[in-house]
Amino acid sequence: ESLDLILMSRRTGIISTFRSEQPAIEVEQRDHSVYFCLDMALATVIMGYSNHELLHNVIMFQGAEAADELCALNGWDRRSLRVHALTLGLKYRQLDVVEPALKALDVDQQLAAATQIKDYLSNATFMDKSFVEQLLLIAMNFISLVIKDRAEKVHTESVNENSGVKVEEWWRP
């Protein structure tokens, strides 16, 4: 038998539905939490969390990859997830979150991230010299990548413009 859930947000009043064609066994706990045992997974309905709060917790306790998978499953914006992961990684001084977040950024997000790191390094108080050294190394590697990406983009645009001019000149009588 399939599983059908109808959910209504108390804050927005928006109603959404979820349907799984897999057979499910419902298990209700004393604390009123409900779990559904599916063929290949255990599912639950999470109450009282916004998408932002849920992603925050998933990033912190499961990592950015799990949060990315959660976004994909729910059709949520995955682009902002990378910046969110970077912010959380810096806030909680988790370099294992910061580095992958920087590597996953789109080109148009890189300059804002570089500014965020600069601001963080300028305004934070550090007691742990090792943390600062590791963060600076990650930041320098990231800035090198940004410079390389920007230089390649400028070079490609320049080559395209120059080759376009030559083609136009070749066709002129």
Side-chain angles (χ1 to χ4, degrees):
E1 197 172 313
S2 66
L3 170 67
D4 293 315
L5 293 175
I6 300 172
L7 307 170
M8 184 177 113
S9 170
R10 285 185 271 166
R11 279 185 271 182
T12 64
I14 295 173
I15 296 174
S16 56
T17 60
F18 171 79
R19 180 179 189 95
S20 172
E21 297 301 327
Q22 298 178 10
I25 300 169
E26 181 180 336
V27 179
E28 187 169 344
Q29 301 294 311
R30 287 186 187 159
D31 65 354
H32 302 292
S33 58
V34 179
Y35 296 91
F36 301 96
C37 297
L38 304 170
D39 235 6
M40 299 295 290
L42 178 66
T44 188
V45 177
I46 300 173
M47 306 271 202
Y49 282 96
S50 68
N51 296 3
H52 182 77
E53 292 167 321
L54 182 58
L55 286 173
H56 174 98
N57 289 335
V58 171
I59 290 169
M60 295 308 299
F61 299 110
Q62 296 294 315
E65 289 177 9
D68 189 54
E69 187 175 333
L70 182 63
C71 286
L73 287 170
N74 289 291
W76 298 339
D77 178 25
R78 294 164 87 174
R79 268 178 54 84
S80 63
L81 175 67
R82 300 164 188 145
V83 175
H84 186 71
L86 173 63
T87 302
L88 289 174
L90 290 172
K91 181 178 180 178
Y92 295 108
R93 298 182 180 199
Q94 292 185 316
L95 298 176
D96 60 326
V97 172
V98 170
E99 193 167 16
L102 289 172
K103 289 179 180 176
L105 292 172
D106 291 336
V107 173
D108 62 326
Q109 295 174 311
Q110 290 176 336
L111 292 178
T115 302
Q116 186 177 2
I117 292 170
K118 177 197 69 79
D119 292 344
Y120 177 79
L121 287 167
S122 299
N123 298 323
T125 306
F126 301 105
M127 299 295 194
D128 183 5
K129 182 180 176 184
S130 173
F131 171 80
V132 175
E133 289 172 349
Q134 290 174 352
L135 180 58
L136 284 171
L137 181 61
I138 290 169
M140 287 187 296
N141 288 336
F142 175 68
I143 296 300
S144 297
L145 176 71
V146 171
I147 292 169
K148 180 182 170 218
D149 287 348
R150 299 290 166 169
E152 286 175 0
K153 183 179 178 186
V154 168
H155 176 72
T156 302
E157 289 173 356
S158 174
V159 168
N160 289 341
E161 288 175 9
N162 289 339
S163 65
V165 169
K166 291 177 184 174
V167 170
E168 290 175 1
E169 289 176 357
W170 183 76
W171 284 104
R172 283 191 194 152

